[in-house]
Amino acid sequence: MMDPSKSLSEENGTENGWNFESATNSEDGFHSSQESITNKSLSKNDNQVNGHGNHGNGIGNSGSHDNNKINNHHISTDDTGNGNGEKVDKNVSKFSNVEFPSNEYDDCDTARVDISIEVTESSSLLNNSMDGECEVDEKVNKKNLKNLTLEKTWLEVPGRSIRRADSSDEPSGKSPPLENITLEVPQVSFAKNEQKFDEVRSPMFRSPSLQRLWSVLSQTDDMEVKKKEKELHLKIFVGCLFLVIVGGVIGIYVVYRQHLLEIELGKSIRFNEDTRVLTVTSGGDPLYGHLGVNLPYPMLPMDCALNQNKSNEVCLRWKGFAQMKITYSRHEKGVKCYRVSWSSLSHTWQPKDCYGLGGGHWYGGAIMKQSQAWPIDNVVLNESAYVSGYGEFGSVTERLWVSSQGISISVDSDIPLFISQNSAGNKQLCFASKPMHPYYAGFQDQDLQLKYTVCSTSNSVQLLRFLRMQKSVLKRYPNVHIMKKPIITLDFKKVNLSQELGKIQCLSKNFSDNGLSLCENFHFELRNWQAINGDLNIGKQAELGLEDLRAKGCSVVLDVDTFADISSQAFKEGALKGYWVRDAGGEVVGLMRWNNQTEAVLDVTNPPAVNWFLHRLTHLRDRYNITSFKFSSGEIRRLPKYGQFFNKMVDLNNYTTQYIVMTTRLQGGNKAATQVDTAFSTQNITQYTSVSVPMKDGLRTVIPKVLTYSVLGYHFVIPEMDFMHSNTQVLPDKNLYIRWIQIMAFLPVMKFSNTCKFDSHTNQIVSDLITFHQNFTVPRILNMEKDVIKNGDPIIRPIWWLAPKNEDAQKIDNQFLIGDTIMVAPVVDTVSRQRRVFIPNGKWTRRDLGLSMLDQVTGPKWVNYRVPIDSVLFFTSD
């Protein structure tokens, strides 16, 4: 770097440098009579330095340093470097960021202009250098070294010129035309007393020549920037358009491929061959079924339909695995049904389909051993054989599930069905066909199948009516003699005769004091009355009790089953004649261990065995004037493992069906009504069905159990709470007992155990409820007979029966309807003395047990009521 005392004019002749000089080639630098400017020059001399001079308002190149000096920044280079060892090409191609500020600042307060230089062949950037006392904004200097192009030796503007110092041509006349000038004006920094003032937006020049230079350079720069921006925007647009086109093509291909693989049957069902998803719509949220979940994926099927018209039938075959057929049928009142049939083509492949439980609430299925859910959406079941008594399933396992969206799924009865629900937390109900215990090995001799029907219509009420009419419905009510009088249970196994007879006397007194004659108003059900199970001989204590009841003219029900203890005479006789179910080998009697006894089971598929058993029961009925029988067996869990029958049964559930059919042969006249503990596809048989209610959550679960029976088509339900039997030595809680009787008073049949030891107030409440049942509930149930038989409507109905689309009504599990005009809202715990009630559409009148009107309310809405222990909430609607 040169001595700061040297003037700029002394260096005008250095070769290969760039200098700003006046149009008169004055060697003393730039002069301006009106304003000071800052300029930067590029020279080829390593000794080039910044000269400073000021002559009045002009700029000179004297070496003096006074307060009026203006910086002239020089960047020095030579042929091999820039003074710092950086190589710079002689042919400078870019020179940018020139800005001419106003003259408002002098000396070190003068605005500093940062110049950037970019060389053609070298990637290095030239460094700024400056002398004097003024500070340099290095950050800005280095940042802005870019973006100016000058390709001509001469740049001439009237009054000023820029030339290349090593040019052999001197300016003469007009300079060559200016070409290819590219300029960008950067931000300019000012330094004054260590304070920075940013962004001089519009420099002001009093020199016309500099103003014109500024104008030319600024306009050229703006045009270039705009051109580059337009090019960039065009490239971005073209790129985005390309991506959109490619995405659209891919999307169209996927949709087209899915369309080719999607089969539509009717307007409510679609099946995708690739994903194997079945979609069923019914006006609400669709039902999604994932079919053939055990098939390998991806694997597309072949068409196996003989009928080319795919509007009502589809047949698909997955080679080496399975064949599936879907058949569409349309019925009256807008009901559409789709039958799905799987056939295994391999000994190792087992059909399995899963349906989502989302988009609505589900009802039906099995009666559970313990608590019953209503609806069943959140029930969790691990995969288990779907037969009565197995796993968590109770005595009834119907293969029907109904959704609040008006969709049903019914599985054929001859399928070795296993089900699971929410087992993986996926809100799915899955059906699988497996030839495993307890189903018979006979399934392995034929193609394994899974067959079921999906139906849909506008709402669940219309759908249930349709489903009921597809089967043989009731032709008449069962014998109403059981309905008209409550049943009191007596157990002769764990209590002695004197205790039981004492209870009978106590009952007679209590109820006679309240206006009820014991035998005229009650049935007595005797349990554990046989001396040896199977012989059908009444034990001595039971016989004495029976004689006492007969003497009073009481109605008697005997609890029977189809088992015979191996010590009984009946077992020996039946074994000789082949009347018992045989073991897996088919040669000897199959035995079961039950209640600490080893017993044989009657083969109800054997006609001679059935006749033999019924003959003995008929003799017992006639001898003791028995009103009816209650059959406590018939569940699949109480059969020998892989038992063999007289008539080979592929489907175990058929045993239950034939068991129920057998019991109907004892009905006749006014005194032969029967009760059963189990059922399977026997909705058309006139019988009473007992509902076992566990001690835990007994009050809370009784209504869901009764409603589930009703949805499944069993109308005449008799709830039984286990701990209410008379063999329980400790009396139940009085409040629990009263709340239980209150629920019973609105069901077809009342059943409870001996209440002799309760206080007189409790006896009075029970007596009032019995009278209410006889005078109010039973007559209204009898008046519904035509409606029940004609439409298949249940007697006890869920609240959503009046509002199928109401979300609140779909979830209520502690209220029920008797027909469409009586609503009951009992208290289902022993503590509460108030409850919240959902009022359906219409005007409802709240009444007391005397049928007096208490108030009226119009629904739909929720209302809170006080419910004392001696009252029950119920409403009537005109």
Side-chain angles (χ1 to χ4, degrees):
M1 182 176 292
M2 70 176 290
D3 192 324
S5 65
K6 288 191 177 182
S7 68
L8 180 63
S9 62
E10 295 174 358
E11 298 301 326
N12 280 340
T14 53
E15 68 177 15
N16 296 332
W18 288 94
N19 275 338
F20 282 89
E21 56 181 287
S22 69
T24 59
N25 294 325
S26 173
E27 293 184 353
D28 58 353
F30 288 176
H31 296 275
S32 174
S33 60
Q34 300 197 10
E35 71 180 39
S36 298
I37 67 168
T38 299
N39 72 71
K40 296 187 179 181
S41 63
L42 174 65
S43 86
K44 188 73 188 306
N45 195 321
D46 286 335
N47 296 322
Q48 182 69 37
V49 297
N50 297 327
H52 309 277
N54 189 350
H55 305 282
N57 292 330
I59 301 174
N61 289 328
S62 66
S64 62
H65 298 275
D66 57 27
N67 292 333
N68 294 323
K69 292 178 182 178
I70 300 176
N71 298 323
N72 292 313
H73 302 268
H74 301 267
I75 301 176
S76 302
T77 66
D78 55 25
D79 289 340
T80 61
N82 61 2
N84 294 326
E86 299 181 45
K87 179 177 176 60
V88 179
D89 189 89
K90 296 178 181 180
N91 189 12
V92 177
S93 62
K94 290 193 177 181
F95 179 93
S96 69
N97 300 338
V98 178
E99 187 165 345
F100 299 88
S102 67
N103 63 344
E104 296 180 15
Y105 304 95
D106 294 330
D107 199 349
C108 289
D109 298 332
T110 301
R112 295 199 305 276
V113 180
D114 300 316
I115 294 180
S116 305
I117 299 175
E118 181 177 346
V119 296
T120 303
E121 296 178 357
S122 174
S123 61
S124 302
L125 297 176
L126 300 176
N127 295 324
N128 288 1
S129 65
M130 103 175 245
D131 70 326
E133 304 160 358
C134 301
E135 55 180 309
V136 179
D137 189 347
E138 292 293 342
K139 182 177 180 181
V140 177
N141 287 341
K142 294 179 180 179
K143 177 180 178 182
N144 296 322
L145 295 176
K146 56 183 178 181
N147 299 334
L148 180 73
T149 302
L150 288 174
E151 293 190 356
K152 289 298 182 181
T153 302
W154 294 95
L155 169 61
E156 182 178 277
V157 182
R160 296 288 185 269
S161 67
I162 301 174
R163 71 178 179 83
R164 187 169 168 170
D166 64 344
S167 173
S168 60
D169 298 327
E170 295 294 331
S172 61
K174 296 183 177 179
S175 61
L178 180 66
E179 297 180 6
N180 301 326
I181 296 178
T182 303
L183 291 174
E184 289 183 4
V185 180
Q187 186 180 49
V188 179
S189 298
F190 297 90
K192 182 176 182 180
N193 299 326
E194 298 183 356
Q195 301 293 325
K196 292 187 178 181
F197 303 84
D198 294 335
E199 200 171 356
V200 175
R201 299 182 181 277
S202 56
M204 300 177 64
F205 302 100
R206 296 179 182 179
S207 171
S209 61
L210 293 178
Q211 290 177 358
R212 286 192 292 272
L213 175 60
W214 170 255
S215 176
V216 170
L217 298 179
S218 298
Q219 292 176 7
T220 305
D221 181 57
D222 291 343
M223 293 174 62
E224 184 67 23
V225 170
K226 293 179 180 179
K227 181 179 179 182
K228 290 182 178 179
E229 288 180 350
K230 289 181 179 179
E231 291 178 351
L232 178 61
H233 292 164
L234 180 61
K235 291 178 181 178
I236 294 175
F237 173 76
V238 172
C240 292
L241 181 62
F242 174 76
L243 293 176
V244 170
I245 293 173
V246 171
V249 171
I250 294 174
I252 292 172
Y253 170 75
V254 171
V255 172
Y256 176 70
R257 184 173 183 272
Q258 293 297 317
H259 176 71
L260 291 178
L261 296 174
E262 193 169 75
I263 301 170
E264 184 171 348
L265 295 174
K267 295 183 178 180
S268 299
I269 188 170
R270 297 188 307 275
F271 179 72
N272 187 289
E273 298 179 13
D274 186 16
T275 61
R276 298 193 294 275
V277 173
L278 183 74
T279 305
V280 182
T281 57
S282 62
D285 294 333
L287 171 69
Y288 296 102
H290 301 270
L291 310 190
V293 297
N294 293 332
L295 287 171
Y297 185 85
M299 183 180 185
L300 293 177
M302 299 178 295
D303 191 345
C304 58
L306 299 177
N307 183 5
Q308 296 301 317
N309 182 9
K310 292 188 177 182
S311 62
N312 61 356
E313 181 178 298
V314 172
C315 181
L316 301 172
R317 180 189 296 265
W318 287 264
K319 187 176 181 181
F321 288 92
Q323 178 175 300
M324 183 195 69
K325 182 183 291 187
I326 302 177
T327 305
Y328 165 70
S329 60
R330 187 178 180 88
H331 304 269
E332 59 181 8
K333 297 183 180 180
V335 178
K336 304 168 186 177
C337 292
Y338 313 88
R339 181 161 178 79
V340 180
S341 301
W342 284 97
S343 296
S344 176
L345 304 179
S346 168
H347 293 295
T348 59
W349 188 81
Q350 298 172 349
K352 182 176 182 179
D353 293 349
C354 294
Y355 285 86
L357 295 176
H361 301 290
W362 287 83
Y363 313 93
I367 300 298
M368 310 304 289
K369 287 181 181 177
Q370 300 299 320
S371 296
Q372 189 81 25
W374 179 274
I376 63 172
D377 311 346
N378 297 320
V379 173
V380 177
L381 296 172
N382 294 322
E383 189 171 78
S384 173
Y386 194 62
V387 293
S388 57
Y390 273 82
E392 300 180 50
F393 305 128
S395 57
V396 174
T397 52
E398 286 294 328
R399 300 184 173 192
L400 172 66
W401 293 263
V402 179
S403 164
S404 61
Q405 298 293 329
I407 300 174
S408 68
I409 303 174
S410 55
V411 183
D412 289 16
S413 61
D414 59 348
I415 301 300
L417 181 63
F418 282 71
I419 76 164
S420 61
Q421 181 175 326
N422 293 325
S423 57
N426 52 8
K427 295 286 288 184
Q428 287 189 337
L429 175 63
C430 297
F431 308 103
S433 181
K434 296 184 176 183
M436 298 170 57
H437 176 73
Y439 298 104
Y440 291 98
F443 279 111
Q444 299 175 356
D445 299 332
Q446 58 184 357
D447 292 335
L448 196 60
Q449 294 183 326
L450 176 61
K451 297 179 291 184
Y452 58 90
T453 302
V454 179
C455 292
S456 66
T457 188
S458 59
N459 62 67
S460 51
V461 174
Q462 293 296 331
L463 182 60
L464 283 173
R465 286 172 174 165
F466 166 78
L467 294 173
R468 292 281 72 80
M469 300 307 294
Q470 295 306 299
K471 294 188 175 182
S472 299
V473 296
L474 287 174
K475 299 297 189 294
R476 59 180 177 84
Y477 270 17
N479 196 303
V480 298
H481 187 64
I482 292 292
M483 251 191 280
K484 291 181 178 180
K485 296 192 294 186
I487 300 173
I488 296 179
T489 58
L490 300 174
D491 196 304
F492 290 93
K493 183 174 183 179
K494 296 184 179 180
V495 294
N496 59 44
L497 177 61
S498 60
Q499 288 178 321
E500 288 302 288
L501 293 179
K503 290 178 182 180
I504 294 173
Q505 298 299 327
C506 178
L507 282 171
S508 177
K509 180 179 183 305
N510 289 340
F511 288 116
S512 62
D513 291 343
N514 292 299
L516 295 177
S517 171
L518 186 65
C519 289
E520 291 180 2
N521 292 280
F522 295 94
H523 300 290
F524 288 89
E525 182 178 303
L526 306 186
R527 299 183 175 183
N528 296 305
W529 51 270
Q530 296 188 65
I532 300 176
N533 197 41
D535 283 338
L536 301 182
N537 292 325
I538 297 178
K540 291 183 179 180
Q541 291 193 95
E543 187 171 15
L544 291 175
L546 183 58
E547 291 293 341
D548 185 68
L549 291 172
R550 286 182 60 194
K552 292 180 172 63
C554 295
S555 174
V556 177
V557 178
L558 289 184
D559 188 340
V560 299
D561 57 44
T562 54
F563 300 101
D565 188 276
I566 57 174
S567 63
S568 65
Q569 292 297 319
F571 171 79
K572 298 175 183 177
E573 180 181 355
L576 291 174
K577 297 180 178 179
Y579 291 163
W580 309 118
V581 176
R582 291 161 291 163
D583 68 359
E587 299 296 330
V588 298
V589 176
L591 300 178
M592 288 288 296
R593 188 73 177 169
W594 191 259
N595 290 333
N596 296 321
Q597 295 180 345
T598 303
E599 300 177 327
V601 186
L602 183 71
D603 185 354
V604 297
T605 71
N606 186 342
V610 170
N611 292 335
W612 171 69
F613 177 73
L614 293 179
H615 175 76
R616 295 161 65 221
L617 279 181
T618 302
H619 175 75
L620 183 66
R621 181 190 66 186
D622 295 341
R623 178 180 176 183
Y624 293 101
N625 194 26
I626 304 300
T627 303
S628 64
F629 294 97
K630 190 242 179 173
F631 291 87
S632 298
S633 54
E635 295 180 358
I636 305 303
R637 65 169 177 166
R638 297 188 67 177
L639 293 176
K641 186 176 182 179
Y642 297 129
Q644 299 296 307
F645 297 87
F646 180 82
N647 288 329
K648 182 177 180 180
M649 287 192 305
V650 175
D651 176 26
L652 275 180
N653 291 293
N654 190 44
Y655 176 88
T656 300
T657 303
Q658 294 196 40
Y659 178 90
I660 301 301
V661 171
M662 177 192 70
T663 67
T664 62
R665 293 174 57 181
L666 287 173
Q667 298 190 70
N670 294 326
K671 297 184 179 182
T674 59
Q675 306 172 50
V676 293
D677 274 350
T678 187
F680 184 79
S681 296
T682 53
Q683 293 88 345
N684 62 323
I685 296 178
T686 55
Q687 61 185 6
Y688 292 94
T689 306
S690 294
V691 182
S692 178
V693 180
M695 180 183 300
K696 182 181 179 181
D697 295 329
L699 290 177
R700 293 184 181 276
T701 196
V702 61
I703 295 176
K705 283 180 180 286
V706 171
L707 291 176
T708 301
Y709 267 107
S710 294
V711 166
L712 296 176
Y714 298 100
H715 307 312
F716 301 94
V717 182
I718 306 177
E720 297 183 18
M721 186 175 286
D722 290 345
F723 67 87
M724 301 299 291
H725 297 158
S726 60
N727 61 350
T728 303
Q729 299 302 312
V730 180
L731 286 175
D733 178 82
K734 181 177 72 173
N735 293 334
L736 172 63
Y737 193 78
I738 292 173
R739 294 301 191 193
W740 172 262
I741 301 296
Q742 288 172 349
I743 297 174
M744 298 300 100
F746 291 90
L747 298 179
V749 178
M750 298 182 72
K751 178 183 280 192
F752 51 90
S753 63
N754 194 339
T755 62
C756 183
K757 291 186 178 181
F758 284 118
D759 57 74
S760 59
H761 180 249
T762 302
N763 288 333
Q764 181 63 56
I765 292 174
V766 173
S767 298
D768 292 343
L769 290 168
I770 292 172
T771 301
F772 177 83
H773 180 266
Q774 293 173 337
N775 296 334
F776 178 82
T777 304
V778 173
R780 281 158 178 77
I781 291 176
L782 295 178
N783 290 337
M784 296 170 56
E785 182 173 4
K786 291 182 180 180
D787 184 49
V788 171
I789 292 175
K790 179 180 179 181
N791 298 322
D793 292 354
I795 295 173
I796 306 301
R797 303 172 185 177
I799 298 299
W800 53 255
W801 197 268
L802 297 180
K805 298 297 184 180
N806 187 289
E807 177 72 14
D808 286 332
Q810 292 169 4
K811 296 185 291 185
I812 294 174
D813 63 352
N814 57 7
Q815 295 177 222
F816 61 91
L817 300 168
I818 303 174
D820 290 339
T821 60
I822 302 171
M823 182 179 70
V824 186
V827 175
V828 293
D829 63 73
T830 61
V831 178
S832 299
R833 295 298 182 265
Q834 64 179 8
R835 66 155 294 166
R836 192 165 176 247
V837 179
F838 177 76
I839 306 297
N841 292 334
K843 181 181 291 186
W844 294 83
T845 301
R846 182 165 67 103
R847 300 183 183 275
D848 60 19
L849 292 178
L851 301 182
S852 298
M853 184 179 74
L854 300 178
D855 55 46
Q856 288 187 325
V857 61
T858 301
K861 65 180 179 181
W862 290 89
V863 183
N864 289 319
Y865 290 100
R866 286 190 68 255
V867 190
I869 189 63
D870 58 351
S871 65
V872 57
L873 279 174
F874 77 100
F875 304 77
T876 60
S877 175
D878 296 335

